[in-house]
Amino acid sequence: MTSPTSASRSTRTATVVGAGQTGVTAALGLLDAGFDVTLYSDRDQRSLCDDVPATGTALEFGEAQQAEVALGLDTYTSRAPRHSGLSVRIAGPENAELIAFDGNFDGYVGVAVDTRLKADERLTAFLERGGKFVVEPVTPESLDDIAGRSDLTLVATGRGGLSDLFAIDTDRTVYDAPQRTLLTVTVKGLGFDEGVFAHRSPAGGGHSLFSIFAEQGEAWWGPYLHKDAGPSWAFLGWARPGSDWETRFAAADSAESALAIVKDLYRDYIDWDLPEVETAEVIAEDPHSWLKGAVRPVVRAGFGRTASGHVVGSLGDTSVAYDPIAGQGAQSGLIQAQRYVAAAANHDGSFDEAWLTEQYESFLAARSDAAAKVTRLFLSDPEFADIGGQFFATAAVDPKFASALVGLLHRPQSFLDVDSAEDAGAYVARVTGEDPAELLSRFAPAGRFERSSFAPAYAH
Ligand SMILES: Cc1cc2nc3c(=O)[nH]c(=O)nc-3n(C[C@H](O)[C@H](O)[C@H](O)COP(=O)(O)OP(=O)(O)OC[C@H]3O[C@@H](n4cnc5c(N)ncnc54)[C@H](O)[C@@H]3O)c2cc1C
């Protein structure tokens, strides 16, 4: 609402539109900060949980978990299977097996929690603490009325929804189309002990696995907490435009077919991990345990205006959509939600364009610009080809650098100042304390990655 701020703190109202994990997290945070909060959703609570797939894998690391802790929320680190590192394999032209390394997470863990589970549990808490939940698809017209009645209105309707209310930031939006097509499927039948994926890392099933193919795309497996099956594994694949993988992913039309496509992919391209992948089973109780699509990385404005001029803020995927290759979207939304809640709780004036702009600029500077840049690095964006080549080869030589490289998924900020091969060398020297050229001279192509000798006796 754009009217003056005579309202006392106890009567301040906030509206959040969209009950995905970002919207619910913000709504609960604002409620706990003393706002009278209404949360609008186009689906009821059961439907949010059971009728849709998870928006994504939502793997998150220490910094995003700290944002949840700051809001007094469960980080799921005690309930979800933990990731303690990332094992990487890179195949070059003609699938030559080039680079292998295993980066340990340094002082933090990763957890990938079903976005439906997280949103559902936070929505239950929101309702128990007196939040108002309205099941109604919000339109640009109804938003005008809603925003007119609320001191602060945040729109968290995801990448589609009401996102057109927020202008695209053309300086920050570097791609005019998605860079990959995606396929995900969540499975059971595989444990997390050292015997699983033991050929990848001494941590076995405690590390997630990333396989990069220069000509095809990327494939990732990681421990996951599924809303029905509990501890499980998630597969996430990225296909380059025009690749064989793209054709394969397009054929998926169910969890069963998605898993069959993934198993064939591992038979034909990634046989070093095949025995474990063969044991994966579909989660029969959840027909929505798979997803295919594509994400165009887009940065939008932090505020928009409704027809009669009320100011509304963007949040989560509505603000910034990332390709999931570096796992930044869910993390970014949670950090943005926490920053907005903390700032709103400490703000006495109106939540006008100036306030929203200040919060958004500060969020972009503190997290999102760096998250977007690290996403481009992991997408093998040609602009970062030299830097990526140096970083990934150095990681194969130096475990400390391997840890720093995978650590960019947790804290992308240290990559923000790396723009040239010289900057990359300086960064390597800072992390390792060694001469970057000497480190690179020690790199030798892997030749042949170690193959799995996993025996089904390890399967759970
Ligand atoms: C394949 C894939 C893998 C991913 N992996 C990761 C990862 O590993 N790590 C990570 O950090 N991020 C990851 N992400 C990104 C992450 O999943 C998303 O950033 C995050 O879940 C977005 O949450 P959100 O609440 O902003 O949006 P959404 O989950 O899209 O929620 C929006 C909600 O708004 C509702 N809605 C829409 N329109 C209206 C309307 N008009 N009125 C009312 N309600 C409406 C929708 O029904 C929905 O409930 C991944 C994304 C994808 C696609």
Side-chain angles (χ1 to χ4, degrees):
M1 188 157 77
T2 48
S3 60
T5 59
S6 54
S8 75
R9 285 188 139 238
S10 61
T11 60
R12 295 192 303 171
T13 55
T15 298
V16 178
V17 185
Q21 73 163 27
T22 317
V24 177
T25 298
L28 184 54
L30 287 164
L31 189 70
D32 288 347
F35 284 77
D36 180 355
V37 185
T38 305
L39 174 62
Y40 283 83
S41 168
D42 56 354
R43 295 176 177 275
D44 65 22
Q45 187 170 9
R46 190 208 55 78
S47 177
L48 283 167
C49 204
D50 293 334
D51 295 344
V52 289
T55 309
T57 316
L59 173 60
E60 62 172 272
F61 304 101
E63 191 166 283
Q65 291 154 13
Q66 282 155 21
E68 295 184 307
V69 169
L71 288 170
L73 299 171
D74 185 1
T75 61
Y76 293 77
T77 46
S78 60
R79 295 158 63 186
R82 294 164 169 227
H83 302 224
S84 56
L86 178 65
S87 162
V88 179
R89 301 287 179 267
I90 303 179
E94 295 179 14
N95 305 334
E97 298 172 26
L98 293 182
I99 295 179
F101 66 88
D102 186 37
N104 290 308
F105 297 151
D106 186 9
Y108 60 95
V109 296
V111 286
V113 177
D114 195 322
T115 55
R116 298 166 298 181
L117 175 69
K118 193 176 268 190
D120 183 61
E121 293 190 352
R122 290 183 184 170
L123 180 53
T124 298
F126 175 77
L127 294 170
E128 283 170 359
R129 293 177 205 171
K132 294 187 203 74
F133 184 54
V134 179
V135 179
E136 173 189 316
V138 174
T139 62
E141 295 71 37
S142 63
L143 184 66
D144 191 37
D145 182 45
I146 289 166
R149 284 186 269 116
S150 188
D151 294 315
L152 170 63
T153 302
L154 298 173
V155 177
T157 54
R159 287 182 275 124
L162 297 168
S163 60
D164 284 346
L165 277 172
F166 305 93
I168 291 181
D169 180 335
T170 49
D171 289 339
R172 288 186 162 91
T173 301
V174 295
Y175 301 114
D176 56 11
Q179 299 301 290
R180 301 284 191 274
T181 53
L182 309 168
L183 178 68
T184 75
V185 60
T186 310
V187 301
K188 58 185 185 182
L190 199 56
F192 309 96
D193 56 54
E194 294 89 17
V196 178
F197 296 116
H199 61 294
R200 284 281 201 141
S201 149
H207 281 196
S208 47
L209 321 167
F210 201 30
S211 299
I212 300 172
F213 283 73
E215 292 167 350
Q216 294 293 332
E218 298 83 8
W220 176 89
W221 280 97
Y224 185 77
L225 186 67
H226 182 272
K227 70 181 177 78
D228 303 319
S232 46
W233 281 81
F235 166 83
L236 176 45
W238 294 258
R240 286 176 174 267
S243 64
D244 175 42
W245 289 17
E246 184 180 54
T247 310
R248 292 175 183 232
F249 288 5
D253 59 5
S254 65
E256 288 78 10
S257 68
L259 182 55
I261 288 164
V262 172
K263 288 185 178 180
D264 282 344
L265 192 78
Y266 274 72
R267 251 174 242 125
D268 296 343
Y269 285 93
I270 320 177
D271 66 331
W272 50 86
D273 293 336
L274 182 61
E276 280 87 344
V277 173
E278 292 271 30
T279 68
E281 297 161 22
V282 156
I283 298 173
E285 57 269 50
D286 177 16
H288 302 290
S289 58
W290 73 286
L291 183 68
K292 70 176 181 181
V295 181
R296 177 189 171 203
V298 170
V299 183
R300 292 182 180 275
F303 76 92
R305 285 190 185 274
T306 63
S308 54
H310 300 297
V311 175
V312 296
S314 63
L315 186 67
D317 274 15
T318 307
S319 294
V320 187
Y322 305 84
D323 182 287
I325 199 138
Q328 294 303 311
Q331 301 197 81
S332 182
L334 293 168
I335 288 167
Q336 187 187 12
Q338 185 270 325
R339 294 176 69 92
Y340 278 38
V341 169
N346 289 315
H347 180 65
D348 286 321
S350 64
F351 299 102
D352 52 14
E353 179 182 323
W355 186 83
L356 281 168
T357 302
E358 188 188 337
Q359 302 321 312
Y360 195 55
E361 290 296 329
S362 131
F363 156 69
L364 292 173
R367 176 82 194 192
S368 180
D369 286 344
K373 190 167 173 182
V374 165
T375 297
R376 294 180 68 194
L377 175 72
F378 278 80
L379 275 172
S380 310
D381 186 312
E383 198 178 316
F384 298 108
D386 291 347
I387 297 170
Q390 177 171 7
F391 276 10
F392 284 93
T394 304
V397 174
D398 188 290
K400 210 191 283 178
F401 193 73
S403 179
L405 182 56
V406 300
L408 292 178
L409 309 181
H410 150 63
R411 281 194 124 270
Q413 294 86 340
S414 45
F415 187 56
L416 206 47
D417 295 332
V418 180
D419 289 315
S420 64
E422 292 71 43
D423 296 341
Y427 181 68
V428 170
R430 242 186 352 265
V431 169
T432 62
E434 294 192 49
D435 174 14
E438 197 278 323
L439 276 177
L440 259 190
S441 72
R442 280 196 254 145
F443 171 75
R448 186 175 153 82
F449 301 143
E450 192 179 336
R451 263 54 183 173
S452 170
S453 55
F454 178 70
Y458 283 121
H460 288 183

